[in-house]
Amino acid sequence: EALHLVHLPATSNVAENSPPETAVYKFAVNLSASLSPVIPGFPLIINSSPLTKAFKVNGLSGTDFEVVTSGKEQLDFETGPNIFDLQIYVKDDVGVTDLQVLTVQVTDVNEPPHFLGNLAKGLELYIAEGINPGFIYQVEAFDPEDTSRNIPLSYFLISPSKSFRMSASGTLFSTTEFDFEAGNNSHYLIVEVRDSQGLKVSTALQVNILNINDEIPRFTSPTRVYRIREELSPGTIVANITAEDPDDEGSTSCLLYSITTINNYFMINQLTGTIQVANRLDRDARELRQNPTISLEVLVKDRPQGGQENRIQITFIVEDINDNPATCIKFTFSIMVPERAAKGTQLLDLNKSCLDNDSEAPNNKFNFTTPSGVGSSSKFLQDPAGSGKIVLIGDLDYENPSSLASGNKYSIIIQVQDVAPPYYKNSIYIYILTSPENEFPLVFDRPSYVFNVSEVMSARARIGWVQATDKDFPQSSIVYSISSGGASLQQPNIFWINSKTGELQLVTKADHETTPTYILRIQATNSEDTSSVTVTVNILEENDEKPICTPNSSFLTIPVDLKVGTNIQNFKLTCTDLDSSPRSFRYSIGPGNVNNHFTFSPSAGSNVSHLLLASRFDYTGRFDKIWDYKLLVYITDDNLLSGWKKAKALVETGTVTLSIKVIPHPTTIITTTPRPRITYLIQRENMYSSSAWYVPFVITLGSMLLLGLLVSLIILLAKAIYRHCPCKARKDKKPLVKKGEMKTTKRATVVETIKMNTVFDGEAIDPVTGKIYEFNSKTGARKWKAPLTETPKWKESSPQGTTTHRVTAGEGMGPLRTTN
C-alpha cells in the first residue's frame, strides 16, 4: 500500500539522432493508501550514468508518466555513449518516496553521408587563366557507417561540363586551358556523393576564372605638347593623361599614374592622370626665363608593386604674359640741388632706376608720362619727353622770397607705364630740395663793443649783449664763446657768455683796484663761418672796500681813578682803505660804552685815532656798576661826504673789538713778577666762568633738596623711636594735671646753630680772566668779587671768626626769637 513506481526498473531502446519529444518508455505511479497525490514536478530524473541531459519525464496523467528525449543533447551511436541508466525519483504530499532505474539503449540507424567543413554549404573555387589542365580540387565526404567500416563512398558530377570531370574518389579536374578575356569566366557544378546503401547528398561548386596581369597598359590621350600661360594658379589642370589596360578593358580604376621626371612645377593625380600646377609658373624668373620648355615623363602601371607599366614623354611650353608692371629701385626720390646750379643740369635719369621684369617684348617695354607738380613746371622739365630724364630749367635761389615761401622744396609726380596691355603703371614721387650755399659772411652788428661795469656788481650780473648775423638761409644757430681775455689773478676768467644769446655776465665780482680794464675777444660760430669781435669791459671804481684798522682787537686795563682825557695805555688805531682817503674816516663806539666813558680822538678826518677816557668812573655812588667793558668800534669812510651824498653813495664800515677792565683801588699788596699785569695765584681748576652760572645754581638746588629729604627722614625716625621706645617717666612733686582738669602742655625747644663766617681780608686780579677775587690769607679761601658793588670796607674779625646764633622757641605756636 506504500507509494511506488510501476513497471520499473526496466530497459528501453531509442534510435540515434531521435528528435526532441521522442517517446522512450512509459511507467505509472501507484499511490499510497492515503491517496496522497504526487508533488508537482515529480517524478524526475535525479541522476544518470553516464551523466546526460538528453532525457526528461513528461506527465500523461496524475499517475501515468513517460520518458522522452529532451533535444538538449544529440544521441549519436557512433560518437556518444550507447547505454544510459536513469534514476527516476518520485515523492507525494506526505513525504513518501520511491526510486527506480530505467536503462535506455541507443540503437544504430543508417545515416546519409555529409560533406566536411564549408563544402556542405557550397564552395567557390578560383582558377587563374592560362594554367594547364589538371587537378583543381579534392571533394571529401563522411559517412558514419561506411567510413567506420572503410567502405568507399561514390562521387558524381551531376551537371556534365566539357571543361571539368570528376573521378569516383571525388577529385575535380579541368580538361581545358581557360582564357579570362575570352569570356565564360564562371562555371557552376553540382557534386553528389552516395554511400553503400544508396543514401546520397549533393553540394554546389562555383569555379571562377581569375584574370591575371599579362597585358601592358596603352595610352589613349593623343596630345604630347602643351602650351600654357605663366602665372596659372596652383591646382589648375593643364593636361589629362588617359590610358587603358587590356586586362581590365573598359575600366581605368586600376591604373596608377606618376611623373618620373623631377620637377617643382607640376603634379599628377595618380588615379585619374590629370596634371595640375603645383607651384608658381613665373616665366620671368629662374630657369624659366632662360628656357620656358618643361619636359616630363609620365608612367602608368596597373598595380602599385610589380605588374605591367608603360611610359610616354610630354612637353609644356610656358608662354610669357604682361604680368609685371614697370618697377623702380625706389618710387620716392629725394634730390639735393645746390642753389647756384646751372640751368640745363640733368638732375635724375629714371631709366637707370626703373625696369620691367617681363621676359619678352613688348611686355618688358615702358615709358614715362609728363611730370606734374605745383610750382615745378617752371623750374623742371623731362627732356626729351617720355625719356625719364629730369632737367633743371629755372633759378633755385634759396633766399628768393618765393623759394622761401615754398620752403625751397619742390615735388614732381611722374608715372612709369607699360606699352603693352593691360598698361600697368606706377607713380614716382620726386622731391627736390634746394641746398643753401654760403654766400654771405657771418658779421657782428658792431665793429667793437665797450661795456662799463661797476665793481660792486655781484656774480651773474649782466654786462651786455653781442650779436652776430648771417644773411644766408636757413639761418643756423650761432654759438658764442670767449676766445681770449678776461683772466684775473684769482680767477682764470671772471666773465661768462651765453653761447646761444651772446649775453655777457660776471662769473665773480670784479675789482677796479686789481684790474680796471679787461679786453675780451668774443667769437661767433655757425655751421659755415666764424667771426670775432673785440669787447672792452671797464671796471668802474666804487667804494666797496671796508676800512681795515690795526689792532683789530685788544684787551686793556685801566685804574678806577684814571684821569679824564688820558690816552688809555697809549692805545691808538691806525686805519687804511684801498678806495678811500685817509681823511675820510669817522670813528664811533657802538654798544658797550655804558655812560660814555670812552671816546676816540680825533673822531674824524684822520686815519690815526687814540682811545681816551671821556668821563671818570663813579662806583661809590653806584652810578657805575660795570667793571668789564666790551666796546665795538665802528670806522666809517663817509667823513668827506655831504649829507645828501651819504644817502646815495656807498659807505663801508670796519669794526674793532676792545675789552677794557677797570681795576679798583688795591687793598693789599700784590706780589707780581717783572712782567706787568700777570699774577700766578690760583690753579686752573679753580677758575670760574660767568657763562657757567647754572653750575652753582644746580648744585645749590640739589643740595637743598637732599638736605630737606635728610631732615624729613630724621624727623620720621625720631617719631618712630619715640613711639616705640617710650622713656620711663620720673616722679614730680607736683602732678602734671590736677584731678578732674585738662591742661594744655607747653614745651620749650632750644635750637642752637653755629654759623662759620669766613673773613676775606685780601683781593687780587685773576691773570687769566682779569676779574677781581677776594681771599682769606689764613685759610686760602677765595671768592669772586661782585663787580657791581662798591668797594667794601673791611671789618676786623674776631680771632675765632665764629658767631653763635641761639634760637629760642616760645610757648605754643609763637614765633621764634633769634639771638646773635
Side-chain angles (χ1 to χ4, degrees):
E1 295 181 355
L3 178 70
H4 63 275
L5 294 171
V6 182
H7 309 304
L8 290 176
T11 300
S12 178
N13 298 323
V14 63
E16 64 175 332
N17 300 323
S18 296
E21 301 298 329
T22 299
V24 177
Y25 184 76
K26 293 181 180 181
F27 64 93
V29 176
N30 189 10
L31 299 178
S32 61
S34 61
L35 299 179
S36 297
V38 177
I39 296 176
F42 288 89
L44 54 80
I45 300 172
I46 63 173
N47 198 4
S48 65
S49 179
L51 187 63
T52 182
K53 294 182 179 180
F55 304 98
K56 66 178 181 177
V57 177
N58 288 340
L60 300 179
S61 65
T63 58
D64 295 327
F65 300 91
E66 183 181 27
V67 177
V68 298
T69 57
S70 64
K72 294 181 179 180
E73 291 183 6
Q74 185 71 26
L75 296 175
D76 191 353
F77 181 84
E78 287 78 19
T79 60
N82 297 328
I83 298 175
F84 297 92
D85 292 330
L86 307 180
Q87 295 181 0
I88 298 174
Y89 176 73
V90 65
K91 184 178 181 181
D92 60 9
D93 287 342
V94 297
V96 180
T97 63
D98 189 17
L99 178 66
Q100 298 295 335
V101 176
L102 173 63
T103 301
V104 178
Q105 293 182 352
V106 179
T107 60
D108 186 21
V109 177
N110 184 27
E111 301 171 85
H114 60 272
F115 294 98
L116 300 179
N118 293 331
L119 188 59
K121 299 178 181 180
L123 190 65
E124 289 189 5
L125 302 178
Y126 295 90
I127 304 172
E129 66 170 329
I131 63 172
N132 296 324
F135 174 81
I136 295 178
Y137 184 74
Q138 178 64 51
V139 178
E140 294 183 355
F142 174 80
D143 184 81
E145 292 78 21
D146 291 353
T147 302
S148 62
R149 294 193 294 266
N150 293 325
I151 299 174
L153 299 177
S154 301
Y155 297 87
F156 303 93
L157 197 58
I158 301 303
S159 55
S161 174
K162 296 180 180 180
S163 302
F164 301 95
R165 68 178 181 86
M166 179 170 285
S167 65
S169 61
T171 302
L172 181 64
F173 295 94
S174 62
T175 59
T176 184
E177 182 178 337
F178 298 99
D179 184 6
F180 183 85
E181 288 74 19
N184 195 14
N185 298 324
S186 179
H187 302 271
Y188 187 77
L189 304 177
I190 302 298
V191 178
E192 184 181 83
V193 60
R194 300 175 185 174
D195 63 4
S196 58
Q197 297 183 10
L199 295 179
K200 58 184 178 180
V201 66
S202 63
T203 187
L205 292 179
Q206 180 77 31
V207 180
N208 298 315
I209 308 303
L210 295 179
N211 185 19
I212 63 173
N213 190 18
D214 55 351
E215 300 287 341
I216 64 171
R218 296 191 301 267
F219 288 97
T220 58
S221 53
T223 306
R224 298 292 184 266
V225 177
Y226 300 88
R227 303 185 72 89
I228 61 175
R229 297 173 56 197
E230 66 169 329
E231 298 297 347
L232 293 176
S233 59
T236 302
I237 297 175
V238 294
N240 187 17
I241 307 300
T242 59
E244 62 181 12
D245 188 356
D247 291 324
D248 193 10
E249 188 174 357
S251 174
T252 58
S253 60
C254 61
L255 297 180
L256 301 176
Y257 300 87
S258 62
I259 297 175
T260 60
T261 307
I262 298 176
N263 79 100
N264 297 322
Y265 300 106
F266 302 100
M267 61 182 178
I268 190 169
N269 189 313
Q270 65 174 354
L271 298 179
T272 63
T274 55
I275 297 178
Q276 298 172 305
V277 177
N279 291 300
R280 181 186 178 191
L281 289 170
D282 190 358
R283 173 68 176 81
D284 311 311
R286 295 179 295 186
E287 65 272 4
L288 290 180
R289 189 175 186 88
Q290 303 298 327
N291 183 13
T293 301
I294 302 174
S295 296
L296 302 178
E297 183 184 69
V298 179
L299 171 67
V300 61
K301 57 172 63 176
D302 54 11
R303 63 180 60 182
Q305 300 294 333
Q308 303 295 328
E309 63 182 34
N310 198 359
R311 302 168 188 262
I312 61 169
Q313 294 286 335
I314 61 174
T315 301
F316 290 98
I317 299 175
V318 182
E319 297 179 345
D320 182 42
I321 62 173
N322 186 17
D323 60 329
N324 293 313
T327 184
C328 301
I329 298 175
K330 54 184 179 178
F331 290 97
T332 301
F333 293 86
S334 181
I335 305 173
M336 188 72 69
V337 182
E339 62 175 320
R340 290 184 286 185
K343 296 180 180 179
T345 303
Q346 180 176 308
L347 305 180
L348 179 64
D349 188 358
L350 294 175
N351 283 293
K352 296 180 180 179
S353 302
C354 300
L355 56 90
D356 193 323
N357 201 35
D358 288 316
S359 58
E360 296 178 358
N363 296 330
N364 57 2
K365 301 299 180 180
F366 58 89
N367 57 19
F368 298 92
T369 61
T370 302
S372 62
V374 178
S376 62
S377 59
S378 62
K379 297 181 182 296
F380 309 101
L381 182 66
Q382 183 180 197
D383 188 23
S387 63
K389 297 179 180 180
I390 308 300
V391 179
L392 176 65
I393 61 173
D395 184 17
L396 297 177
D397 185 8
Y398 198 94
E399 290 75 25
N400 189 292
S402 63
S403 299
L404 292 175
S406 64
N408 283 285
K409 298 179 182 179
Y410 307 93
S411 60
I412 299 174
I413 301 176
I414 190 171
Q415 289 184 331
V416 55
Q417 177 177 292
D418 285 344
V419 299
Y423 306 107
Y424 291 114
K425 63 178 64 177
N426 280 317
S427 296
I428 301 174
Y429 300 89
I430 303 173
Y431 299 96
I432 300 176
L433 307 177
T434 303
S435 62
E437 294 184 339
N438 188 14
E439 298 178 287
F440 304 97
L442 177 65
V443 295
F444 284 89
D445 58 354
R446 300 182 193 175
S448 64
Y449 295 85
V450 177
F451 300 111
N452 295 322
V453 181
S454 174
E455 66 175 333
V456 297
M457 293 181 68
S458 62
R460 301 186 66 84
R462 297 177 180 177
I463 298 174
W465 284 268
V466 297
Q467 185 176 6
T469 57
D470 189 346
K471 294 182 180 180
D472 286 319
F473 282 88
Q475 292 186 345
S476 59
S477 60
I478 300 175
V479 179
Y480 299 92
S481 62
I482 301 175
S483 59
S484 64
S488 65
L489 295 178
Q490 292 80 16
Q491 296 287 339
N493 200 334
I494 67 171
F495 301 99
W496 173 83
I497 190 169
N498 190 315
S499 61
K500 295 182 179 180
T501 64
E503 180 186 11
L504 192 64
Q505 297 181 4
L506 282 173
V507 175
T508 183
K509 291 182 64 175
D511 189 6
H512 173 83
E513 289 74 22
T514 304
T515 306
T517 302
Y518 293 90
I519 306 297
L520 308 179
R521 194 68 179 169
I522 294 180
Q523 179 177 288
T525 304
N526 62 9
S527 59
E528 297 173 341
D529 291 331
T530 299
S531 181
S532 299
V533 70
T534 301
V535 177
T536 302
V537 181
N538 297 319
I539 308 302
L540 302 180
E541 182 179 9
E542 298 286 353
N543 184 22
D544 61 335
E545 299 288 343
K546 293 182 179 180
I548 300 175
C549 300
T550 56
N552 188 38
S553 63
S554 182
F555 176 76
L556 304 174
T557 59
I558 60 174
V560 70
D561 55 356
L562 186 67
K563 294 181 179 181
V564 175
T566 302
N567 184 194
I568 299 174
Q569 290 188 0
N570 295 323
F571 181 81
K572 67 178 181 179
L573 288 177
T574 302
C575 301
T576 59
D577 193 336
L578 295 178
D579 51 13
S580 299
S581 170
R583 297 175 56 249
S584 64
F585 298 117
R586 183 170 55 85
Y587 304 90
S588 62
I589 301 176
N593 190 11
V594 180
N595 296 329
N596 297 320
H597 288 297
F598 307 98
T599 187
F600 276 91
S601 179
S603 61
S606 175
N607 67 327
V608 178
S609 184
H610 298 80
L611 177 64
L612 303 180
L613 183 65
S615 62
R616 62 181 296 276
F617 297 100
D618 185 5
Y619 291 100
T620 305
R622 293 187 179 275
F623 180 75
D624 289 319
K625 299 180 181 180
I626 299 176
W627 295 86
D628 296 305
Y629 290 87
K630 299 290 185 180
L631 303 183
L632 185 62
V633 182
Y634 297 107
I635 303 92
T636 309
D637 56 4
D638 61 350
N639 184 55
L640 300 179
L641 299 176
S642 60
W644 66 273
K645 289 184 179 180
K646 288 183 181 180
K648 297 181 179 180
L650 294 174
V651 177
E652 297 291 341
T653 301
T655 59
V656 174
T657 303
L658 298 179
S659 298
I660 300 176
K661 179 72 176 181
V662 180
I663 302 175
H665 294 290
T667 57
T668 59
I669 299 175
I670 301 173
T671 303
T672 62
T673 61
R675 298 179 64 182
R677 302 191 302 276
I678 300 177
T679 303
Y680 300 95
L681 295 176
I682 61 174
Q683 295 182 354
R684 189 172 181 83
E685 59 266 23
N686 292 329
M687 292 193 321
Y688 173 74
S689 176
S690 59
S691 62
W693 59 269
Y694 57 87
V695 175
F697 174 76
V698 172
I699 294 175
T700 304
L701 181 62
S703 302
M704 293 176 65
L705 293 175
L706 290 175
L707 181 60
L709 178 62
L710 181 60
V711 170
S712 63
L713 291 176
I714 292 174
I715 293 174
L716 293 175
L717 181 61
K719 289 181 178 181
I721 294 173
Y722 180 79
R723 188 182 304 112
H724 297 288
C725 301
C727 298
K728 186 176 180 181
R730 64 180 180 177
K731 295 181 179 180
D732 274 329
K733 295 179 180 181
K734 295 181 181 181
L736 296 175
V737 182
K738 292 183 179 181
K739 187 175 181 181
E741 295 183 359
M742 294 295 294
K743 188 175 182 179
T744 303
T745 303
K746 298 182 179 179
R747 295 183 181 181
T749 304
V750 178
V751 180
E752 183 173 331
T753 303
I754 299 175
K755 182 178 180 182
M756 301 296 293
N757 291 331
T758 301
V759 178
F760 298 94
D761 54 1
E763 67 179 19
I765 299 175
D766 184 15
V768 179
T769 63
K771 295 183 179 181
I772 299 175
Y773 65 89
E774 297 175 347
F775 64 92
N776 188 291
S777 59
K778 293 182 179 181
T779 64
R782 293 178 292 275
K783 75 172 183 177
W784 297 108
K785 183 177 180 180
L788 299 180
T789 59
E790 63 181 18
T791 306
K793 297 180 180 179
W794 305 108
K795 297 180 180 180
E796 294 297 332
S797 61
S798 61
Q800 293 78 9
T802 61
T803 304
T804 303
H805 300 270
R806 183 178 300 273
V807 181
T808 306
E811 294 180 356
M813 300 300 291
L816 297 178
R817 292 182 291 108
T818 303
T819 303
N820 293 333

